[in-house]
Amino acid sequence: MKSIDEQILRTTKEIIVKFIEMGRLSPSNIHESFKDIYTTVDETVKKNVIKPAPSNDKQD
């Protein structure tokens, strides 16, 4: 799980950097957007990548 959390943080950082490069975000107001972007990436990854392990119980 730690690895996934690190990747989520890196991805969020890359998105922030791209937004700054594109002029869509100012370095002075990163704190306003970081939490929203992080939460979106986190929820998306965990919803689509981390799924419960399939059960070994066979129901006939």
Side-chain angles (χ1 to χ4, degrees), residues 11-23:
T11 300
T12 303
K13 181 185 132 190
E14 290 178 23
I15 292 169
I16 294 287
V17 168
K18 289 294 180 186
F19 280 179
I20 291 171
E21 291 174 350
M22 293 171 49

Side-chain angles (χ1 to χ4, degrees), residues 30-48:
I30 290 174
H31 65 281
E32 296 172 7
S33 301
F34 185 86
K35 185 176 180 179
D36 291 334
I37 295 170
Y38 182 87
T39 301
T40 301
V41 173
D42 184 62
E43 289 174 355
T44 302
V45 168
K46 290 182 178 174
K47 182 174 102 177
N48 293 302

Side-chain angles (χ1 to χ4, degrees), residues 1 4 17 23 26-27 31-32 36 40 47 49-50 53 59-60:
M1 184 77 152
I4 291 173
V17 168
S26 168
H31 65 281
E32 296 172 7
D36 291 334
T40 301
K47 182 174 102 177
V49 173
I50 303 172
Q59 296 177 347
D60 294 321

